[in-house]
């Protein structure tokens, strides 16, 4: 599902020739233009040499996102020698998009399949977003079906939830794809995600 790059609302599937729609309305297009929305990045992340590329890989009936170096070689989320600066990663044509290696105080919570069939945000996702909405960078995932909550957190063991909610929280040893497609009016800054990590940990226990 494709979503508006400014507000995150679902867009009708693109059919036929012509340029794919990026915004749901003229108002969102104009607001994005006024804000200079090329690809927002929180300053702390923009200055960190923790960027890489990623490529979609098919494995059996599923898919995975394989990390790549800026030159197209294999990368690792735990090997700083395979990471690079944001400008270098942006200029690279390798793979399908940008990624960011977590750790060093950088953390991300991945909300997967958090929209229902009508394109409405699931209640469990609203609950997790409530403490940080408007305070930290939240973006739409590459699939358009999920959200990434970016922020700060000390390095700790990752947490994964499956069942009533699909959420993963990591602050080390992983990388996350980066789209720059803001969810609603998320600010390009990073808030403390420690509380959310604790909430997800308790739910998973």
């Amino acid at each position: 599902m494709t979503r508006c790059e400014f507000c995150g609302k679902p867009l009708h599937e693109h059919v036929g020739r012509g340029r794919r729609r990026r915004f749901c309305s003229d108002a969102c297009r104009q607001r994005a233009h006024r804000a200079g929305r090329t690809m927002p990045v929180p300053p702390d992340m923009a200055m960190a040499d923790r960027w890489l590329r990623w490529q979609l890989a098919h494995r059996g009936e599923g898919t995975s996102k394989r990390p790549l170096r800026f030159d197209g070689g294999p990368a690792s989320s735990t090997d700083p020698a395979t990471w690079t600066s944001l400008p270098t990663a942006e200029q690279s044509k390798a793979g399908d998009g940008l990624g960011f290696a977590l750790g060093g105080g950088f953390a991300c919570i991945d909300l997967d399949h958090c929209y229902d069939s009508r394109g409405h945000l699931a209640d469990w996702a609203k609950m997790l977003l409530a403490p940080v909405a408007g305070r930290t960078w939240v973006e739409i995932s590459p699939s358009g079906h999920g959200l990434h909550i970016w922020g700060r957190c000390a390095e700790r063991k990752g947490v994964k939830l499956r069942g009533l909610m699909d959420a993963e929280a990591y602050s080390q040893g992983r990388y996350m794809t980066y789209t720059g497609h803001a969810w609603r009016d998320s600010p390009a800054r990073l808030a403390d995600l420690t509380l959310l990590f604790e909430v997800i940990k308790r739910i998973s226990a």
Side-chain angles (χ1 to χ4, degrees):
M1 179 186 298
T2 304
R3 297 183 180 277
C4 174
E5 293 183 13
F6 190 85
C7 71
K9 290 182 180 179
L11 299 178
H12 294 297
E13 292 298 327
H14 178 74
V15 179
R17 309 176 105 180
R19 183 177 298 177
R20 179 182 66 83
R21 290 183 65 194
R22 297 174 56 201
F23 305 100
C24 65
S25 65
D26 288 339
C28 273
R29 182 182 296 107
Q30 291 168 5
R31 290 170 68 190
H33 179 72
R34 286 197 299 268
R37 298 286 289 273
T38 51
M39 192 190 74
V41 181
D44 289 354
M45 293 177 65
M47 293 186 291
D49 290 345
R50 307 182 72 93
W51 294 89
L52 38 77
R53 304 285 299 182
W54 64 269
Q55 184 174 49
L56 193 65
H58 296 275
R59 294 183 177 179
E61 297 181 357
T63 59
S64 63
K65 297 178 179 69
R66 184 164 56 94
L68 299 176
R69 292 167 49 96
F70 73 92
D71 60 5
S76 170
S77 59
T78 59
D79 183 2
T82 64
W83 310 339
T84 190
S85 65
L86 176 58
T88 301
E90 283 186 298
Q91 291 168 14
S92 171
K93 301 299 181 182
D96 299 306
L98 289 168
F100 187 87
L102 303 175
F106 295 103
C108 188
I109 298 173
D110 181 12
L111 309 184
D112 202 10
H113 304 294
C114 58
Y115 288 92
D116 62 24
S117 58
R118 299 174 297 170
H120 296 162
L121 198 62
D123 288 340
W124 63 264
K126 292 178 183 178
M127 180 269 292
L128 292 176
L129 284 162
V132 295
R135 297 178 48 239
T136 202
W137 175 247
V138 183
E139 65 173 11
I140 302 166
S141 68
S143 70
H145 299 292
L147 297 173
H148 293 164
I149 305 173
W150 293 90
R152 289 288 195 172
C153 185
E155 294 186 359
R156 55 189 293 172
K157 185 178 180 180
V159 187
K160 181 184 292 187
L161 286 176
R162 289 292 182 265
L164 294 178
M165 59 180 70
D166 289 335
E168 300 179 37
Y170 299 107
S171 59
Q172 63 175 341
R174 296 291 186 107
Y175 89 94
M176 283 286 178
T177 59
Y178 190 93
T179 65
H181 295 165
W183 176 70
R184 298 185 179 175
D185 292 325
S186 294
R189 61 175 181 263
L190 302 177
D192 190 345
L193 300 183
T194 304
L195 173 63
L196 275 186
F197 270 73
E198 287 296 329
V199 168
I200 294 172
K201 179 182 178 181
R202 292 186 182 185
I203 294 174
S204 68

